[in-house]
Amino acid sequence: MLASTYLSPPFLPLHHTATTTTTSALLPLLSGDPNRRHMSGPVLLKAKTGDGDGRADLPLPSRRHAVLGVAKILFAAANERSLRCMNQAAHGRSITGTFTGDLLVGAMAHSWRVLMQGLTSLVFLCTRADEYVRPPPSPLVLTTHDKPAAHPQQVHISVVGTNNMRISWVTDDRSAPSVVEYGKSRGNYTASATGDNATYRYFLYKSGAIHHVTIGPLDPSTTYHYRCGKAGDEFTLRTPPASLPIELVVIGDLGQTGWTASTLSHISGADYDMLLLPGDLSYADTQQPLWDSFGRLVQPLASARPWMVTEGNHEVEALPVLQFAPFVAYNARWRMPHEESGSRSNLYYSFDAAGGAAHVVMLGSYVDFEEGSEQHAWLERDLAGVDRRRTPWLVVLLHAPWYNTNQAHQGEGEAMRAAMERLLYEARVDVVFSGHVHAYERFTRIFDNEADNRGPMYITIGDGGNREGLALKFIKDHKSAHLSVFQEASFGHGRLRIVNETSAVWTWHRNDDAYATVRDEVWLESLASPKLVMETAGRRLDEL
């Protein structure tokens, strides 16, 4: 039987693939996008604000990039034919009787997988790490869907306001109702809510109906049972607490590989209240069926706890020559509460957690952020509205890191840092999380390239499980090396537990085979705490 796989283009770098064990739930795939990994810097996109469905004013790419973009789209169409054949084999259904092309594509895919896995294994055997042998990234995994067309799939939830929750899902049946029934006991639905649904097109691909329904008001720290579209399975969610303590899981650059599955398994092994993701979700990279596969992969966790996300470079998917606007799939599938925070764009927003004890700001690295831009003006208003006497914790997430000693993606966050860093510093932001660099790195508190205990702590956590591999090389003599406290190129996830108004603990959990090992831990004191406020006032008097 052929393993379920995507064809991979001939320019796929060897470090993108590895062998993995196929299970009934996770079927290995191969795919890659070599161009995005080597971007010289973030592509600044002036996307239409509002619902995000309009066209963006983008500079035309070079002819070379345009041709590559068209080639990728055509290749994705060929992959869909391979995927159909592979899905049949994965489910044990006979492929006898399908036309010869399906068998040929399937055989080619299988041969390519064996060749690439063999070459990658050879490269891996020649590589050694300092502490333990780190395997290369696993190939993509495919989570299939073989249930009726009206059966909800890709279910995920997000917070809306203080006591509401948005339920999002997809149905192949585009006429399925956008209704959620819910209650506090299994099968006993005492309330229901109706929302909306829409579809989008991307080249030859047309999505299923993408439903969004807001339910509530809901009680805090309460378990609810719910059903989507009056069909399919019952799901269970727990609402976040209305006060401290609260535990936030943070993962970046997630993707859908064997390492992704490992990270998700480690996260599910311990309790938490909410998950934050600073960009690069599915790594679909124009291959739209991978958005569907990703949604099914994360559904067990994303349907049970709120997932609050912001976009990364892999969400852009813009092809100006073919008139594909940026973020079409991302905005359609992952609707965040931007309107509630006064933002006109789904690409940046904010929300309160723990009854307002924490304020979380999600910024967009790939939409205009310069002074005078809508995002910059919105951020200034949003931070000015935070009362630190009522909200002792201020957390920011973005994709491209402002501080980075890794060789990968050097300087790609510099323009945004120059435009926005002072706003975060003056608001006394406690911690800034980013992704993009496929490694873990924690810095001390910083402002303007110098250590400053009144500035945010910067943490890069772009190691969720992406297919592009780890960023292994840190620059020892980097200008920011003296500010970097801990660095390691390993897959993993982090947890921020805000204990009370003054103290929080951050832990980074490295993926050691089947285990999540705590490799870094640090306690944080809120910059709004009376002690630090008094120290800051004393320093200002000394300076005067």
Side-chain angles (χ1 to χ4, degrees):
M1 181 180 294
L2 298 178
S4 180
T5 182
Y6 274 85
L7 275 170
S8 295
F11 44 72
L12 179 68
L14 297 184
H15 67 274
H16 281 198
T17 61
T19 56
T20 187
T21 302
T22 302
T23 67
S24 59
L26 302 176
L27 307 174
L29 293 169
L30 287 173
S31 184
D33 181 3
N35 300 312
R36 293 198 188 276
R37 180 173 175 82
H38 302 292
M39 292 171 62
S40 60
V43 179
L44 184 59
L45 303 174
K46 295 185 178 180
K48 177 182 176 182
T49 56
D51 59 10
D53 292 331
R55 277 179 202 166
D57 181 17
L58 294 172
L60 287 177
S62 66
R63 290 186 179 182
R64 173 177 172 272
H65 285 89
V67 171
L68 286 175
V70 173
K72 285 166 55 182
I73 290 293
L74 296 176
F75 188 80
N79 277 349
E80 291 191 54
R81 174 64 63 183
S82 174
L83 180 61
R84 185 180 306 130
C85 178
M86 296 301 96
N87 281 345
Q88 289 176 331
H91 282 98
R93 294 195 285 266
S94 172
I95 55 178
T96 304
T98 60
F99 63 93
T100 306
D102 276 338
L103 294 175
L104 180 60
V105 168
M108 291 173 61
H110 180 65
S111 299
W112 180 257
R113 177 180 64 84
V114 172
L115 174 63
M116 294 304 296
Q117 289 182 349
L119 290 175
T120 303
S121 297
L122 180 61
V123 172
F124 174 59
L125 288 174
C126 298
T127 304
R128 292 293 180 266
D130 54 348
E131 296 184 37
Y132 70 104
V133 177
R134 297 184 177 89
S138 300
L140 296 183
V141 297
L142 170 65
T143 308
T144 58
H145 180 68
D146 59 354
K147 297 181 179 179
H151 191 104
Q153 55 169 304
Q154 306 174 49
V155 181
H156 61 269
I157 64 177
S158 54
V159 296
V160 181
T162 57
N163 53 8
N164 293 306
M165 199 80 72
R166 177 177 288 118
I167 315 294
S168 302
W169 73 96
V170 177
T171 56
D172 292 332
D173 180 359
R174 298 183 179 91
S175 63
S178 301
V179 176
V180 172
E181 303 165 287
Y182 61 100
K184 294 183 180 180
S185 58
R186 294 186 181 277
N188 183 20
Y189 308 127
T190 58
S192 66
T194 302
D196 59 75
N197 69 81
T199 64
Y200 73 91
R201 284 188 177 274
Y202 196 96
F203 199 62
L204 300 179
Y205 173 89
K206 183 178 181 181
S207 73
I210 303 171
H211 306 261
H212 300 286
V213 176
T214 300
I215 64 173
L218 306 175
D219 296 331
S221 300
T222 302
T223 298
Y224 286 87
H225 306 274
Y226 66 98
R227 187 173 67 160
C228 305
K230 297 185 176 181
D233 301 328
E234 179 180 83
F235 296 91
T236 301
L237 67 83
R238 192 185 70 200
T239 54
S243 60
L244 298 175
I246 187 172
E247 182 155 329
L248 310 173
V249 164
V250 187
I251 50 173
D253 299 68
L254 191 55
Q256 44 189 313
T257 70
W259 281 114
T260 306
S262 176
T263 297
L264 296 176
S265 176
H266 294 160
I267 292 171
S268 66
D271 199 13
Y272 65 100
D273 299 301
M274 186 181 299
L275 186 144
L276 309 179
L277 203 165
D280 283 1
L281 283 70
S282 70
Y283 283 76
D285 294 321
T286 74
Q287 300 183 55
Q288 298 304 299
L290 288 180
W291 275 110
D292 297 309
S293 177
F294 175 79
R296 292 189 287 265
L297 176 66
V298 302
Q299 175 179 285
L301 274 69
S303 63
R305 297 289 186 276
W307 278 42
M308 310 304 293
V309 306
T310 188
E311 83 284 357
N313 55 301
H314 286 274
E315 276 70 65
V316 178
E317 297 187 303
L319 291 173
V321 174
L322 297 178
Q323 300 299 305
F324 288 121
F327 307 112
V328 171
Y330 171 79
N331 281 329
R333 295 170 182 271
W334 292 83
R335 185 184 297 178
M336 293 290 111
H338 64 277
E339 294 174 338
E340 289 76 8
S341 65
S343 168
R344 296 175 58 190
S345 171
N346 191 50
L347 304 177
Y348 52 88
Y349 63 97
S350 66
F351 64 95
D352 287 338
H359 186 70
V360 181
V361 179
M362 310 291 273
L363 296 178
S365 294
Y366 301 94
V367 63
D368 197 3
F369 47 68
E370 297 291 343
E371 187 172 358
S373 67
E374 288 192 7
Q375 182 176 194
H376 192 281
W378 169 83
L379 177 61
E380 193 169 10
R381 293 193 306 270
D382 186 79
L383 294 176
V386 178
D387 182 354
R388 297 305 296 275
R389 294 170 297 182
R390 175 181 172 273
T391 305
W393 290 97
L394 192 48
V395 178
V396 172
L397 286 88
L398 49 91
H399 188 62
W402 294 357
Y403 292 95
N404 169 34
T405 69
N406 197 287
Q407 187 173 341
H409 303 300
Q410 267 299 307
E412 292 186 20
E414 179 59 23
M416 192 177 190
R417 183 196 70 81
M420 290 183 162
E421 185 180 25
R422 181 166 288 279
L423 293 179
L424 272 56
Y425 179 73
E426 292 178 349
R428 295 294 179 260
V429 168
D430 294 289
V431 59
V432 177
F433 294 105
S434 61
H436 201 38
V437 176
H438 300 163
Y440 173 75
E441 184 168 22
R442 175 171 61 85
F443 291 85
T444 187
R445 294 190 177 277
I446 303 173
F447 175 65
D448 196 20
N449 290 290
E450 294 296 338
D452 190 323
N453 60 11
R454 295 168 291 177
M457 178 179 293
Y458 288 85
I459 296 174
T460 301
I461 188 160
D463 59 349
N466 64 86
R467 69 163 178 257
E468 294 178 334
L470 293 166
L472 298 171
K473 295 182 180 179
F474 289 91
I475 304 172
K476 294 183 179 180
D477 58 349
H478 192 278
K479 67 176 183 179
S480 299
H482 66 292
L483 303 172
S484 181
V485 178
F486 188 98
Q487 51 188 227
E488 184 173 321
S490 300
F491 292 111
H493 75 279
R495 293 173 180 263
L496 178 66
R497 180 170 179 80
I498 304 178
V499 179
N500 53 41
E501 287 76 9
T502 60
S503 300
V505 59
W506 164 257
T507 53
W508 175 62
H509 303 247
R510 181 180 71 188
N511 287 8
D512 277 355
D513 299 322
Y515 304 99
T517 304
V518 176
R519 284 285 292 142
D520 186 31
E521 179 174 349
V522 61
W523 281 85
L524 290 79
E525 187 172 7
S526 167
L527 292 182
S529 69
K531 176 183 176 182
L532 290 179
V533 170
M534 292 179 62
E535 290 178 354
T536 300
R539 277 191 295 270
R540 286 181 176 175
L541 288 175
D542 292 340
E543 292 170 359
L544 291 174

